[in-house]
Amino acid sequence: MRGINKSFGNFKASNDTNLCVEKGRLVGLLGPSGSGKTTILRIIAGLEIPDSGDIMINGKRVNDMNAGSRGIGFVFQNYALFRYMSVFENVAFGLRVKKESEAAIKKRVSELMSLVGLDGFEKRFPSQLSGGQRQRVAFARAIAPNPQILLLDEPFAAIDAKVRQELRKWLRNTIGVLGITSVFVTHDQDEAVEVADEIVVINAGHVEQKGSPVDIYKHPATPFVARFIGHSDAMENAASFKGFEAARDFAEAIVRPEFVRVEKRGLLEDYVASAEEGVVEDISFRGDNMEIKVRVSRVLLTANYSLEKPGLSVGEKVSVLIRRIYVFDGDRTEILENENLRENTVFI
Amino acid sequence: MNVSGADEMEKVVATPEIMLKKFDAARFLLISVSVVFLVVMLALPLFTVIFVSFRQGWHVYKNAVTDFYTLKALQLTVISTVAAVAANTFFGVFAAWLITKFSFRGKKILVTAIDIPFAISPVIAGLIFIFMFGRIGWAYPLLSKFNIDIVFAVPGIVMAVIFVTIPFVARELIPVLNSQGKDEEEAAALMGASGFTIFRRITLPNIKWALMYGVILCTARAMGEFGAVSVLSGHLRGKTNTLPLHVEILYNEYKYTESFAVSSILVLLAIVILIARNVVEHKGRKGNEA
């Protein structure tokens, strides 16, 4: 498969979307609810018809091909298992449609049942399975006819948190083993980061950025991506912060917790030129660390604080060091390092 | 503090009992009202039908029931019922499928149109066909050219019964199809299943109990239809009489026992249908749980 290219004009859900997926990759479409991720998936599958634009699979235009002949496996958000068929019949459905021989169907289904770890569940009905089991049946059913592409719509949305963790790993490994080109949709960035080789951030039916999870995190291409990925706080008047005078050329700025260092007052004396004074407003326990809300001049920042460090209390005056911020102006995005900090490190 | 605390405790404990007593009284009242109502309005009349049918002995009953004209009327009732059920099952499934799986202009109008027979008096339904196909109707010249009789003939009766029973199947199916969404069908379509395969293997199993329920209600209504058929039938004994019409004729001839005896056939059929309905309802519920 060379890629899927689609563009739509004046289409509400997909606004001039261009997307290319390399063969064998596991791609996550990430975006807020209502951003048109599912629509894109359904267009690829042939369940929706684009107003304009081309969909190519393996270099072949498939726009006029009906959904059934595109060679696509689809895992629905609520799995859409056939409730009046046993697990076996569910998985066998695609093979029966293809008129495979009974022996071949039996062989393929039992192969898939061991792949998804559901040996012995063949005679059960969907209502007799747990959420995680249903998801695996849906997965087995989708890949049974050996599709070229596997599409998954919010594959983990309906599963409780603990099972979800396991399933993510399982899905990633299984897809890796099969080497099948896959696209999944999610609104959960942790999920996208953990499962996908490549993330496509979607907003308002538009591809904002495409890249590896690390890339998207480190080098957000648009203000939307910078805000959507990871936790971020808006910084008003960013140019007034020490070391970020360059921010005055930009309209907006945000900062992430991992670039904000909070210390007991006085502990940051080495960084006089760059450290700010702040007041702790809120402290919450996050399991492996503390999340500190600290107000510096009028801006409320979030920072992570190790449990090993001396305890802080609400209302305490602290030193705050901001190492890096993201600044935007229109569609321009840049990363600003704290200039004073750089000079400091040179001197030390 | 302690005392008032204990008081509150007591109140909390006491409340459900008072509530229960109130409920008991209300329940008793509701049950008695329902029982009295059903006895007066349903059980007594039904009992009377059976009682009066056998008043002059088994012999008279048997004669009335096996009378040539009664059997003819029964035959016509069965024919018109089967035709109406077949036509409306076919139409109902298609209409419900169309309404729930596709979006198109005028969908709301179609949904409303399906309900029209519920709202219109059957007599009017009968008159509509008279004005269409009767001697004064616009289609009469064309029909008489080909020697087709609709009014005062079997086709008219069948059409009238179809008309009044249009909503039953579609009405039962639409909510079921709506609640099940399109996902399963889409999943099947993605695997390359044809429209017919999808309908047979996915949709039909999902709607089968609702469909049977609709068919049963449709049958019950079709068998008992009086108003529209009465207008269109012409009351030709042995030709265009259905059972309900035959009952009326016998009654008008002061043959009360015979008229009630024929009615008892309808009562019997109704009981069979009720049993079938309960079985279907029960199985349908089990099917949904499984």
Side-chain angles (χ1 to χ4, degrees):
Chain A
M1 184 175 103
R2 221 177 32 222
I4 298 162
N5 279 295
K6 301 182 281 108
S7 53
F8 315 101
N10 299 326
F11 191 59
K12 260 188 267 163
S14 299
N15 186 5
D16 206 20
T17 311
N18 282 293
L19 180 63
C20 175
V21 177
E22 272 169 62
K23 195 182 177 98
R25 298 282 270 180
L26 174 52
V27 173
L29 298 184
L30 175 64
S33 318
S35 59
K37 320 175 285 277
T38 300
T39 307
I40 294 173
L41 213 59
R42 291 173 62 86
I43 287 171
I44 301 173
L47 294 172
E48 309 280 350
I49 299 158
D51 296 342
S52 68
D54 299 320
I55 304 150
M56 318 274 285
I57 297 174
N58 265 339
K60 224 169 70 189
R61 190 170 185 273
V62 295
N63 280 43
D64 303 322
M65 214 184 254
N66 67 28
S69 36
R70 289 188 188 184
I72 279 172
F74 201 108
V75 178
F76 286 80
Q77 184 167 3
N78 53 5
Y79 317 133
L81 295 177
F82 307 136
R83 75 194 81 178
Y84 287 103
M85 289 185 206
S86 64
V87 168
F88 182 94
E89 285 304 319
N90 261 283
V91 178
F93 187 87
L95 305 167
R96 287 203 196 285
V97 168
K98 280 188 166 177
K99 305 248 186 312
E100 304 246 357
S101 74
E102 196 63 32
I105 292 175
K106 269 211 175 110
K107 186 166 165 280
R108 178 80 176 133
V109 173
S110 76
E111 208 176 280
L112 286 163
M113 292 317 278
S114 14
L115 176 75
V116 300
L118 287 174
D119 290 298
F121 284 80
E122 288 87 346
K123 289 204 177 112
R124 297 236 195 148
F125 281 85
S127 57
Q128 297 165 315
L129 299 175
S130 72
Q133 290 168 338
R134 279 181 212 180
Q135 207 239 12
R136 283 181 282 163
V137 173
F139 180 79
R141 185 181 70 177
I143 61 172
N146 281 317
Q148 305 184 62
I149 306 169
L150 179 64
L151 305 174
L152 306 105
D153 187 4
E154 299 270 3
F156 308 104
I159 296 170
D160 55 276
K162 212 166 178 190
V163 182
R164 202 183 300 168
Q165 283 292 337
E166 289 165 28
L167 270 177
R168 279 181 193 164
K169 281 206 191 88
W170 175 83
L171 187 74
R172 196 189 152 74
N173 292 339
T174 314
I175 289 179
V177 168
L178 295 169
I180 182 171
T181 310
S182 309
V183 179
F184 74 98
V185 152
T186 181
H187 61 265
D188 180 343
Q189 41 172 303
D190 294 342
E191 194 167 295
V193 167
E194 202 171 314
V195 179
D197 297 327
E198 197 169 54
I199 293 178
V200 178
V201 182
I202 310 275
N203 179 35
H206 198 85
V207 174
E208 292 274 338
Q209 188 176 5
K210 188 181 152 218
S212 71
V214 177
D215 210 35
I216 284 193
Y217 186 81
K218 278 199 169 163
H219 308 288
T222 66
F224 174 82
V225 177
R227 266 190 220 105
F228 187 68
I229 306 287
H231 181 95
S232 63
D233 293 304
M235 259 170 99
E236 248 178 81
N237 211 357
S240 69
F241 284 78
K242 290 181 188 167
F244 293 108
E245 285 75 15
R248 67 175 165 268
D249 296 339
F250 296 85
E252 289 172 273
I254 63 159
V255 61
R256 289 195 177 143
E258 46 282 37
F259 301 125
V260 179
R261 185 170 155 196
V262 173
E263 295 290 351
K264 282 244 176 217
R265 209 170 162 205
L267 283 181
L268 286 175
E269 271 178 350
D270 291 346
Y271 306 98
V272 192
S274 46
E276 305 274 352
E277 288 259 297
V279 179
V280 176
E281 289 214 347
D282 189 39
I283 300 173
S284 40
F285 182 57
R286 283 274 179 262
D288 49 358
N289 65 6
M290 298 285 211
E291 189 186 275
I292 311 278
K293 296 269 183 203
V294 57
R295 190 171 291 281
V296 179
S297 60
R298 290 215 317 283
V299 181
L300 191 63
L301 301 173
T302 309
N304 296 327
Y305 191 76
S306 166
L307 295 171
E308 304 293 315
K309 291 184 186 174
L312 300 176
S313 53
V314 174
E316 190 175 332
K317 284 199 172 158
V318 289
S319 299
V320 180
L321 177 66
I322 300 169
R323 285 187 292 146
R324 182 183 295 165
I325 64 172
Y326 296 88
V327 286
F328 322 113
D329 197 44
D331 277 342
R332 199 152 63 105
T333 306
E334 260 181 53
I335 299 165
L336 290 185
E337 304 284 342
N338 190 321
E339 281 168 28
N340 301 345
L341 192 58
R342 228 181 303 158
E343 284 160 21
N344 252 350
T345 48
V346 171
F347 280 110
I348 288 172
Chain B
M1 276 300 282
N2 254 340
V3 177
S4 75
D7 266 3
E8 265 177 25
M9 283 288 282
E10 256 177 35
K11 260 184 215 158
V12 170
V13 175
T15 324
E17 273 172 27
I18 295 168
M19 295 281 281
L20 270 181
K21 265 182 197 153
K22 269 189 190 162
F23 273 134
D24 271 353
R27 193 167 61 179
F28 179 75
L29 189 72
L30 285 171
I31 291 175
S32 3
V33 168
S34 315
V35 166
V36 169
F37 186 82
L38 288 178
V39 165
V40 172
M41 301 301 295
L42 258 175
L44 272 181
L46 279 177
F47 175 74
T48 312
V49 168
I50 306 293
F51 179 77
V52 176
S53 328
F54 288 100
R55 194 170 49 182
Q56 293 176 338
W58 170 249
H59 197 68
V60 176
Y61 178 82
K62 203 186 123 202
N63 277 347
V65 169
T66 56
D67 175 62
F68 172 77
Y69 292 118
T70 308
L71 290 179
K72 271 285 179 187
L74 176 63
Q75 190 191 8
L76 185 55
T77 299
V78 170
I79 288 171
S80 58
T81 302
V82 168
V85 168
N88 282 322
T89 303
F90 191 75
F91 168 77
V93 169
F94 275 74
W97 172 274
L98 178 70
I99 285 165
T100 52
K101 306 285 170 184
F102 300 91
S103 49
F104 53 92
R105 275 180 148 200
K107 184 160 146 178
K108 284 218 169 107
I109 296 172
L110 179 62
V111 176
T112 316
I114 287 176
D115 277 344
I116 286 177
F118 271 159
I120 286 184
S121 160
V123 178
I124 296 168
L127 285 175
I128 292 169
F129 286 110
I130 298 265
F131 284 125
M132 274 170 71
F133 305 120
R135 266 174 203 285
I136 46 170
W138 53 265
Y140 186 75
L142 192 71
L143 289 171
S144 56
K145 213 185 202 171
F146 296 99
N147 271 332
I148 301 170
D149 283 329
I150 290 184
V151 167
F152 307 140
V154 176
I157 291 168
V158 171
M159 283 171 83
V161 175
I162 290 175
F163 181 92
V164 295
T165 53
I166 282 174
F168 288 95
V169 173
R171 273 283 134 205
E172 282 301 320
L173 293 184
I174 288 170
V176 177
L177 283 170
N178 257 340
S179 72
Q180 287 174 346
K182 291 190 260 192
D183 284 1
E184 285 182 48
E185 277 91 358
E186 282 179 350
L190 275 171
M191 287 185 260
S194 67
F196 180 69
T197 308
I198 294 173
F199 179 75
R200 189 175 56 87
R201 295 211 51 200
I202 314 296
T203 313
L204 201 56
N206 281 345
I207 62 168
K208 79 182 152 193
W209 296 115
L211 179 63
M212 281 174 82
Y213 191 68
V215 164
I216 285 168
L217 290 180
C218 185
T219 309
R221 183 76 177 82
M223 278 189 340
E225 177 48 28
F226 179 83
V229 172
S230 174
V231 175
L232 282 164
S233 133
H235 304 270
L236 304 172
R237 255 200 239 204
K239 279 191 178 152
T240 61
N241 246 1
T242 62
L243 273 185
L245 297 184
H246 192 54
V247 170
E248 193 207 18
I249 289 176
L250 291 171
Y251 172 78
N252 286 343
E253 289 168 351
Y254 306 104
K255 294 179 179 164
Y256 298 132
T257 309
E258 286 83 349
S259 132
F260 274 66
V262 174
S263 304
S264 72
I265 301 176
L266 284 170
V267 171
L268 194 75
L269 289 173
I271 290 171
V272 170
I273 285 174
L274 275 178
I275 292 171
R277 197 201 73 160
N278 281 341
V279 169
V280 166
E281 248 182 7
H282 181 69
K283 288 219 164 162
R285 217 174 293 140
K286 259 169 91 182
N288 278 342
E289 280 162 16

mmCIF file of all heavy atoms in Angstrom, chain A residues 58-77:
data_model
loop_
_atom_site.group_PDB
_atom_site.id
_atom_site.type_symbol
_atom_site.label_atom_id
_atom_site.label_comp_id
_atom_site.label_asym_id
_atom_site.label_seq_id
_atom_site.Cartn_x
_atom_site.Cartn_y
_atom_site.Cartn_z
ATOM 1 N N ASN A 58 -3.087 1.279 -2.061
ATOM 2 C CA ASN A 58 -2.125 0.620 -2.935
ATOM 3 C C ASN A 58 -2.014 1.319 -4.280
ATOM 4 O O ASN A 58 -1.860 0.668 -5.308
ATOM 5 C CB ASN A 58 -2.537 -0.830 -3.172
ATOM 6 C CG ASN A 58 -1.826 -1.754 -2.208
ATOM 7 O OD1 ASN A 58 -0.784 -1.394 -1.666
ATOM 8 N ND2 ASN A 58 -2.402 -2.916 -1.996
ATOM 9 N N GLY A 59 -2.147 2.628 -4.261
ATOM 10 C CA GLY A 59 -2.046 3.367 -5.505
ATOM 11 C C GLY A 59 -3.259 3.273 -6.393
ATOM 12 O O GLY A 59 -3.259 3.763 -7.517
ATOM 13 N N LYS A 60 -4.319 2.600 -5.899
ATOM 14 C CA LYS A 60 -5.529 2.460 -6.706
ATOM 15 C C LYS A 60 -6.627 3.310 -6.101
ATOM 16 O O LYS A 60 -6.837 3.292 -4.888
ATOM 17 C CB LYS A 60 -5.959 0.982 -6.726
ATOM 18 C CG LYS A 60 -6.351 0.516 -8.096
ATOM 19 C CD LYS A 60 -6.508 -0.999 -8.149
ATOM 20 C CE LYS A 60 -7.706 -1.482 -7.384
ATOM 21 N NZ LYS A 60 -7.744 -2.947 -7.256
ATOM 22 N N ARG A 61 -7.339 4.017 -6.960
ATOM 23 C CA ARG A 61 -8.413 4.857 -6.460
ATOM 24 C C ARG A 61 -9.609 3.966 -6.110
ATOM 25 O O ARG A 61 -10.063 3.171 -6.936
ATOM 26 C CB ARG A 61 -8.823 5.866 -7.535
ATOM 27 C CG ARG A 61 -9.761 6.944 -7.049
ATOM 28 C CD ARG A 61 -9.895 8.028 -8.138
ATOM 29 N NE ARG A 61 -10.694 9.147 -7.675
ATOM 30 C CZ ARG A 61 -12.005 9.192 -7.775
ATOM 31 N NH1 ARG A 61 -12.665 8.189 -8.302
ATOM 32 N NH2 ARG A 61 -12.669 10.244 -7.344
ATOM 33 N N VAL A 62 -10.088 4.070 -4.870
ATOM 34 C CA VAL A 62 -11.163 3.172 -4.442
ATOM 35 C C VAL A 62 -12.462 3.919 -4.164
ATOM 36 O O VAL A 62 -13.401 3.343 -3.627
ATOM 37 C CB VAL A 62 -10.759 2.388 -3.177
ATOM 38 C CG1 VAL A 62 -9.598 1.463 -3.474
ATOM 39 C CG2 VAL A 62 -10.428 3.314 -2.022
ATOM 40 N N ASN A 63 -12.525 5.193 -4.544
ATOM 41 C CA ASN A 63 -13.722 5.988 -4.253
ATOM 42 C C ASN A 63 -15.017 5.298 -4.675
ATOM 43 O O ASN A 63 -16.006 5.313 -3.962
ATOM 44 C CB ASN A 63 -13.651 7.326 -4.988
ATOM 45 C CG ASN A 63 -12.765 8.303 -4.267
ATOM 46 O OD1 ASN A 63 -11.704 7.922 -3.801
ATOM 47 N ND2 ASN A 63 -13.202 9.529 -4.157
ATOM 48 N N ASP A 64 -14.988 4.717 -5.881
ATOM 49 C CA ASP A 64 -16.226 4.156 -6.417
ATOM 50 C C ASP A 64 -16.368 2.683 -6.079
ATOM 51 O O ASP A 64 -17.298 2.019 -6.524
ATOM 52 C CB ASP A 64 -16.274 4.354 -7.934
ATOM 53 C CG ASP A 64 -16.140 5.827 -8.288
ATOM 54 O OD1 ASP A 64 -16.713 6.642 -7.543
ATOM 55 O OD2 ASP A 64 -15.457 6.151 -9.267
ATOM 56 N N MET A 65 -15.441 2.185 -5.294
ATOM 57 C CA MET A 65 -15.524 0.787 -4.895
ATOM 58 C C MET A 65 -16.407 0.724 -3.662
ATOM 59 O O MET A 65 -16.298 1.575 -2.782
ATOM 60 C CB MET A 65 -14.106 0.332 -4.550
ATOM 61 C CG MET A 65 -13.799 -1.099 -4.879
ATOM 62 S SD MET A 65 -12.151 -1.437 -4.286
ATOM 63 C CE MET A 65 -11.272 -1.469 -5.808
ATOM 64 N N ASN A 66 -17.309 -0.266 -3.583
ATOM 65 C CA ASN A 66 -18.141 -0.282 -2.385
ATOM 66 C C ASN A 66 -17.366 -0.836 -1.193
ATOM 67 O O ASN A 66 -16.318 -1.460 -1.339
ATOM 68 C CB ASN A 66 -19.465 -1.014 -2.622
ATOM 69 C CG ASN A 66 -19.263 -2.484 -2.866
ATOM 70 O OD1 ASN A 66 -18.305 -3.071 -2.385
ATOM 71 N ND2 ASN A 66 -20.164 -3.075 -3.617
ATOM 72 N N ALA A 67 -17.927 -0.541 -0.013
ATOM 73 C CA ALA A 67 -17.205 -0.811 1.232
ATOM 74 C C ALA A 67 -16.704 -2.258 1.312
ATOM 75 O O ALA A 67 -15.608 -2.517 1.793
ATOM 76 C CB ALA A 67 -18.098 -0.497 2.420
ATOM 77 N N GLY A 68 -17.516 -3.191 0.812
ATOM 78 C CA GLY A 68 -17.191 -4.597 0.983
ATOM 79 C C GLY A 68 -15.988 -5.072 0.182
ATOM 80 O O GLY A 68 -15.358 -6.052 0.541
ATOM 81 N N SER A 69 -15.678 -4.361 -0.904
ATOM 82 C CA SER A 69 -14.604 -4.884 -1.748
ATOM 83 C C SER A 69 -13.291 -4.125 -1.583
ATOM 84 O O SER A 69 -12.354 -4.320 -2.344
ATOM 85 C CB SER A 69 -15.052 -4.890 -3.210
ATOM 86 O OG SER A 69 -15.854 -3.779 -3.483
ATOM 87 N N ARG A 70 -13.209 -3.248 -0.583
ATOM 88 C CA ARG A 70 -11.972 -2.485 -0.402
ATOM 89 C C ARG A 70 -10.919 -3.260 0.384
ATOM 90 O O ARG A 70 -9.777 -2.823 0.485
ATOM 91 C CB ARG A 70 -12.263 -1.175 0.341
ATOM 92 C CG ARG A 70 -13.016 -0.194 -0.514
ATOM 93 C CD ARG A 70 -13.132 1.157 0.163
ATOM 94 N NE ARG A 70 -14.019 2.017 -0.602
ATOM 95 C CZ ARG A 70 -14.263 3.279 -0.311
ATOM 96 N NH1 ARG A 70 -13.706 3.822 0.751
ATOM 97 N NH2 ARG A 70 -15.067 3.986 -1.045
ATOM 98 N N GLY A 71 -11.315 -4.375 0.968
ATOM 99 C CA GLY A 71 -10.354 -5.148 1.747
ATOM 100 C C GLY A 71 -9.994 -4.457 3.044
ATOM 101 O O GLY A 71 -8.828 -4.313 3.394
ATOM 102 N N ILE A 72 -11.030 -4.008 3.765
ATOM 103 C CA ILE A 72 -10.791 -3.272 4.992
ATOM 104 C C ILE A 72 -11.443 -4.003 6.160
ATOM 105 O O ILE A 72 -12.577 -4.468 6.060
ATOM 106 C CB ILE A 72 -11.351 -1.836 4.862
ATOM 107 C CG1 ILE A 72 -10.339 -0.992 4.089
ATOM 108 C CG2 ILE A 72 -11.641 -1.233 6.225
ATOM 109 C CD1 ILE A 72 -10.826 0.365 3.732
ATOM 110 N N GLY A 73 -10.719 -4.137 7.250
ATOM 111 C CA GLY A 73 -11.294 -4.667 8.477
ATOM 112 C C GLY A 73 -11.612 -3.502 9.392
ATOM 113 O O GLY A 73 -10.836 -2.559 9.481
ATOM 114 N N PHE A 74 -12.763 -3.557 10.047
ATOM 115 C CA PHE A 74 -13.197 -2.416 10.847
ATOM 116 C C PHE A 74 -13.609 -2.915 12.228
ATOM 117 O O PHE A 74 -14.406 -3.833 12.342
ATOM 118 C CB PHE A 74 -14.380 -1.733 10.144
ATOM 119 C CG PHE A 74 -14.616 -0.306 10.554
ATOM 120 C CD1 PHE A 74 -14.320 0.728 9.686
ATOM 121 C CD2 PHE A 74 -15.147 -0.004 11.799
ATOM 122 C CE1 PHE A 74 -14.538 2.057 10.051
ATOM 123 C CE2 PHE A 74 -15.362 1.319 12.169
ATOM 124 C CZ PHE A 74 -15.053 2.351 11.289
ATOM 125 N N VAL A 75 -13.039 -2.304 13.257
ATOM 126 C CA VAL A 75 -13.490 -2.614 14.617
ATOM 127 C C VAL A 75 -14.289 -1.413 15.111
ATOM 128 O O VAL A 75 -13.761 -0.314 15.216
ATOM 129 C CB VAL A 75 -12.293 -2.877 15.558
ATOM 130 C CG1 VAL A 75 -12.778 -3.142 16.976
ATOM 131 C CG2 VAL A 75 -11.467 -4.052 15.049
ATOM 132 N N PHE A 76 -15.572 -1.639 15.358
ATOM 133 C CA PHE A 76 -16.447 -0.538 15.743
ATOM 134 C C PHE A 76 -16.262 -0.188 17.213
ATOM 135 O O PHE A 76 -15.831 -1.010 18.014
ATOM 136 C CB PHE A 76 -17.908 -0.914 15.500
ATOM 137 C CG PHE A 76 -18.284 -0.916 14.052
ATOM 138 C CD1 PHE A 76 -17.969 -1.991 13.245
ATOM 139 C CD2 PHE A 76 -18.932 0.165 13.499
ATOM 140 C CE1 PHE A 76 -18.302 -1.996 11.910
ATOM 141 C CE2 PHE A 76 -19.272 0.179 12.168
ATOM 142 C CZ PHE A 76 -18.964 -0.910 11.364
ATOM 143 N N GLN A 77 -16.631 1.035 17.514
ATOM 144 C CA GLN A 77 -16.482 1.524 18.883
ATOM 145 C C GLN A 77 -17.198 0.620 19.883
ATOM 146 O O GLN A 77 -16.660 0.291 20.916
ATOM 147 C CB GLN A 77 -17.032 2.944 18.979
ATOM 148 C CG GLN A 77 -16.827 3.551 20.334
ATOM 149 C CD GLN A 77 -17.090 5.042 20.324
ATOM 150 O OE1 GLN A 77 -17.478 5.623 19.319
ATOM 151 N NE2 GLN A 77 -16.885 5.676 21.446
#
